[in-house]
């Protein structure tokens, strides 16, 4: 199969969140299975060009229709760690992708509406006819709309679209001008509740809704989150649309890259280990304590690694720190927040706990330290309010670090409670709580800490169950191929 991914991000060259990892990892998995895969990205000035090999112009002059005229673009080609990527560079005064940042501009919707149009125009003019176009999040919601309303008349009859939603929170709400700009000028047709008109903001065009309505298949990043999006407020206003289109909507759990996240080969940790050599994990615990100035005492280390965002349950993270310290455990936090008030709060907390020999808060982004934390901690806590998939818990499982999570989204699909899950004992791998409040969190933390002290053999078995889980891209890769096979023209 020939598959083209049209995406705003791809790790490691243009990464803001998990979407970037999915685009890279899924592409590699599809290639391993014998498919031809290309990725189309904007040519941002702030990309990691040191991760692109052989960058060269592939199409010098691409004219992309835009409002009543056309924008002159060049399309570049390069390899990102072996993945074949095209980068679209517009030469216009709008300067869409030379801003020093990926997002955060008042014309973000115009920037990505343009990118969607340009990607299709490139495929059309370069005579590329993929079996499947796979696009991602609100930034590329217009791709299926433009394909089936415009490009289908220019010879792109057989292309089919899979659309993956990584986060329902950002949907690309905009005015009618985005339709005008891309040539969707029959406004009455598109600005309709059956198509792109937002379900609640009656004056807004919703790009993500367009992606759902027009795509041949729509996925989100875990089965539980697919259910939540349809039946709870986590669909952020799109539940009705998803229910209308339920026959083409489902959840595919993300995977993680076991070449990066694997304690057997991890170059960033003090001592490598696997299930047979599990005791070596404790050399990493020592190394973590040395690095973060924590005292060496007979106590478990509980960690949090992740963004400090309201989605992650910041109040509960705060509470987890003090609960751990009161209950004879140590706490390590690695996180950062773009929101000034949350940042301020955690900086104050860090100052307050500065002298504690049992606690360290590292505020910032530090990939290398994150590896040592996954390897050195005994447990990891994730009290998320919502979590479409979550990678942190899957990484922790691989490192034998027992997750304590709230039963939401992808956390519910990957972590199974030691005491209350219906699965056989060998499949239980962590601690799960339901209510997003202090009592809920404490109940799970209490059970985890008590098991660590009183029943170390049982705790060790739980660690091993987690290490035995397979959350690689093998299964999701096959799931996506099955979807492509279902929708493609044969
Ligand atoms: P989200 O995509 O919502 O941020 P995920 O759990 O899906 O959350 O993915 C988080 C990923 O980012 C994990 O790989 C985690 O290790 C990493 N990460 C998050 N914050 C940091 C940080 N401050 N330093 C290093 N790695 C981080």
């Amino acid at each position: 199969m020939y598959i083209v991914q049209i995406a705003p991000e791809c790790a490691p060259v243009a990464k803001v969140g998990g979407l970037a990892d999915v685009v890279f990892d899924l592409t590699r998995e599809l290639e391993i299975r014998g498919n031809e895969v290309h990725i189309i990205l904007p040519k941002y000035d702030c990309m990691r060009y040191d991760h692109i090999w052989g960058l060269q112009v592939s199409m010098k002059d691409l004219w992309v229709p835009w409002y009543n005229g056309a924008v002159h673009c060049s399309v570049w080609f390069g390899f990102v760690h072996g993945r074949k990527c095209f980068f679209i560079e517009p030469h216009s005064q709008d300067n869409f992708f030379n801003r020093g940042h990926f997002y955060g501009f008042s014309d973000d919707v115009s920037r990505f509406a343009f990118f969607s149009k340009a990607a299709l125009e490139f495929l059309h003019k370069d005579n590329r006819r993929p079996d499947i176009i796979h696009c991602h999040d609100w930034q590329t919601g217009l791709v299926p709309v433009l394909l089936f309303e415009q490009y289908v008349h220019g010879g792109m009859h057989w292309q089919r679209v899979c659309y993956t939603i990584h986060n329902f929170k950002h949907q690309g709400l905009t005015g009618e001008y985005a339709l005008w700009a891309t040539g969707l000028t029959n406004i009455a047709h598109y600005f309709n509740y059956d198509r792109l008109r937002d379900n609640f903001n009656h004056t807004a065009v919703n790009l993500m809704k367009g992606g759902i309505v027009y795509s041949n298949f729509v996925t989100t990043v875990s089965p539980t989150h697919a259910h939540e999006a349809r039946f709870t407020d986590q669909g952020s206003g799109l539940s009705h649309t998803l229910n209308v289109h339920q026959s083409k909507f489902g959840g595919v759990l993300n995977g993680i890259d076991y070449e990066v996240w694997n304690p057997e080969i991890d170059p960033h940790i003090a001592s490598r280990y696997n299930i047979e050599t599990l005791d070596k994990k404790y050399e990493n615990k020592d190394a973590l304590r040395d690095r973060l100035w924590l005292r060496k005492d007979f106590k478990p280390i509980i960690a949090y690694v992740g963004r400090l965002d309201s989605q992650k349950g910041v109040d509960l993270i705060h509470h987890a720190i003090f609960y751990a310290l009161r209950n004879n455990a140590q706490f390590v936090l690695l996180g950062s927040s773009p929101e000034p008030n949350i940042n301020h709060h955690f900086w104050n907390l860090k100052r307050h706990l500065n002298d504690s020999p049992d606690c360290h808060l590292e505020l910032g982004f530090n990939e290398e330290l994150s590896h040592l934390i996954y390897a050195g901690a005994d447990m990891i806590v994730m009290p998320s309010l919502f979590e479409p998939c979550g990678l942190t818990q899957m990484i922790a499982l691989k490192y034998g670090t027992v997750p304590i999570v709230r039963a939401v989204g992808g956390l519910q699909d990957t972590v199974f409670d030691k005491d209350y899950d219906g699965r056989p004992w060998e499949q239980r791998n962590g601690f799960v709580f339901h209510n997003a409040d202090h009592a809920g969190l404490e109940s799970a933390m209490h059970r985890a800490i008590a098991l660590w002290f009183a029943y170390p053999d049982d705790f060790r078995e739980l660690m091993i169950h987690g290490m035995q889980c397979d959350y690689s891209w093998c299964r999701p890769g096959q799931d996506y191929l099955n979807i492509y096979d279902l929708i493609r023209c044969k």
Side-chain angles (χ1 to χ4, degrees):
M1 241 185 286
Y2 177 28
I3 300 146
V4 169
Q5 306 234 29
I6 303 180
E9 299 176 30
C10 175
V13 281
K15 174 168 167 164
V16 175
L19 149 63
D21 294 308
V22 172
V23 171
F24 183 91
D25 294 346
L26 175 61
T27 299
R28 191 178 56 184
E29 185 67 28
L30 294 170
E31 284 176 350
I32 290 170
R33 289 157 183 267
N35 301 284
E36 171 81 340
V37 191
H38 291 150
I39 304 171
I40 304 182
L41 297 160
K43 188 167 182 288
Y44 301 103
D45 60 347
C46 51
M47 278 193 304
R48 291 287 304 269
Y49 283 88
D50 53 329
H51 288 276
I52 308 174
W53 283 265
L55 189 63
Q56 57 180 311
V57 172
S58 161
M59 185 186 266
K60 192 157 163 283
D61 301 309
L62 173 73
W63 290 91
V64 179
W66 190 239
Y67 286 100
N68 294 325
V71 173
H72 180 215
C73 298
S74 301
V75 182
W76 296 68
F77 176 83
F79 290 94
V80 174
H81 295 271
R83 311 289 81 76
K84 297 169 190 155
C85 298
F86 291 99
F87 302 93
I88 296 193
E89 177 185 38
H91 307 288
S92 84
Q93 289 183 341
D94 288 318
N95 209 22
F96 280 141
F97 306 123
N98 292 327
R99 310 270 182 97
H101 297 281
F102 299 110
Y103 308 122
F105 304 97
S106 57
D107 62 345
D108 275 357
V109 170
S110 285
R111 296 168 68 223
F112 290 99
F114 178 80
F115 170 62
S116 302
K117 177 90 183 174
L120 283 171
E121 190 67 21
F122 169 61
L123 291 177
H124 180 234
K125 290 280 162 56
D126 211 35
N127 268 322
R128 294 178 180 275
R129 298 292 182 266
D131 300 294
I132 297 293
I133 297 174
H134 192 158
C135 44
H136 300 265
D137 267 354
W138 71 266
Q139 294 90 330
T140 55
L142 272 186
V143 167
V145 183
L146 294 168
L147 176 71
F148 293 118
E149 293 286 1
Q150 296 176 345
Y151 289 85
V152 76
H153 305 300
M156 294 180 73
H157 307 289
W158 311 116
Q159 282 56 58
R160 294 294 177 262
V161 180
C162 176
Y163 180 52
T164 296
I165 297 171
H166 300 255
N167 193 336
F168 281 94
K169 214 165 136 191
H170 308 287
Q171 301 182 359
L173 260 54
T174 177
E176 289 174 13
Y177 68 88
L179 301 176
W180 283 106
T182 50
L184 299 166
T185 48
N186 183 355
I187 301 293
H189 178 68
Y190 302 109
F191 194 58
N192 178 304
Y193 288 113
D194 289 341
R195 294 190 176 80
L196 278 83
R197 190 167 187 172
D198 189 74
N199 295 337
F200 291 94
N201 186 340
H202 303 302
T203 57
V205 169
N206 183 323
L207 301 191
M208 183 173 275
K209 181 173 172 181
I212 297 170
V213 171
Y214 278 85
S215 293
N216 303 95
F217 207 93
V218 182
T219 68
T220 187
V221 290
S222 69
T224 296
H225 196 56
H227 187 270
E228 290 165 345
R230 279 181 62 195
F231 299 112
T232 74
D233 59 358
Q234 292 190 35
S236 301
L238 285 172
S239 300
H240 174 69
T241 309
L242 293 170
N243 282 323
V244 169
H245 294 277
Q246 58 174 283
S247 60
K248 60 170 189 179
F249 176 58
V252 177
L253 194 69
N254 287 339
I256 56 170
D257 183 350
Y258 284 148
E259 282 178 27
V260 175
W261 300 110
N262 184 349
E264 260 182 296
I265 52 170
D266 192 329
H268 302 297
I269 64 179
S271 182
R272 298 186 192 140
Y273 60 97
N274 58 26
I275 292 174
E276 275 75 49
T277 56
L278 192 50
D279 283 337
K280 287 192 177 174
K281 179 171 167 66
Y282 299 104
E283 292 171 22
N284 293 299
K285 187 169 178 175
D286 277 347
L288 182 63
R289 282 173 161 162
D290 284 342
R291 168 122 176 218
L292 302 182
W293 300 90
L294 296 178
R295 86 170 127 200
K296 289 189 179 151
D297 213 348
F298 182 66
K299 291 177 175 193
I301 299 180
I302 304 179
Y304 175 83
V305 178
R307 291 182 296 121
L308 295 167
D309 182 287
S310 55
Q311 165 198 341
K312 303 289 181 185
V314 274
D315 165 56
L316 293 178
I317 296 167
H318 172 114
H319 190 70
I321 298 173
F322 288 96
Y323 186 80
L325 297 179
R326 275 202 313 273
N327 287 275
N328 215 10
Q330 297 184 320
F331 203 97
V332 169
L333 177 143
L334 171 62
S336 60
S337 174
E339 283 179 50
N341 56 338
I342 298 182
N343 232 349
H344 186 70
H345 177 80
F346 278 90
W347 273 105
N348 275 341
L349 204 56
K350 183 178 166 70
R351 275 190 282 273
H352 176 68
L353 293 166
N354 204 26
D355 295 330
S356 168
D358 288 324
C359 182
H360 183 93
L361 310 190
E362 184 74 23
L363 302 177
F365 192 93
N366 189 335
E367 172 116 22
E368 180 238 333
L369 176 60
S370 76
H371 286 249
L372 185 59
I373 295 176
Y374 288 120
D378 297 285
M379 307 160 202
I380 204 137
V381 65
M382 287 182 81
S384 303
L385 303 186
F386 74 93
E387 193 66 73
C389 177
L391 301 176
T392 303
Q393 82 282 10
M394 295 198 244
I395 300 171
L397 287 167
K398 184 72 183 167
Y399 283 75
T401 302
V402 174
I404 303 168
V405 305
R406 183 157 173 260
V408 68
L411 298 175
Q412 188 166 331
D413 292 327
T414 49
V415 182
F416 310 113
D417 190 82
K418 174 203 162 265
D419 298 310
Y420 300 116
D421 200 277
R423 285 172 181 70
W425 165 237
E426 312 78 68
Q427 290 175 25
R428 302 187 198 177
N429 56 13
F431 294 89
V432 179
F433 64 99
H434 289 264
N435 291 348
D437 54 27
H438 292 182
L441 173 71
E442 287 182 13
S443 70
M445 287 183 71
H446 170 75
R447 288 188 292 129
I449 296 170
L451 190 76
W452 189 90
F453 277 110
Y455 299 96
D457 292 342
D458 287 1
F459 193 88
R460 195 182 173 93
E461 276 188 43
L462 216 51
M463 293 162 69
I464 292 172
H465 296 170
M467 295 173 85
Q468 285 168 335
C469 294
D470 179 3
Y471 291 121
S472 68
W473 272 97
C474 188
R475 169 134 184 230
Q478 188 58 50
D479 288 345
Y480 278 114
L481 275 176
N482 291 345
I483 291 170
Y484 299 164
D485 213 39
L486 181 75
I487 60 177
R488 80 168 163 148
C489 290
K490 291 181 188 132

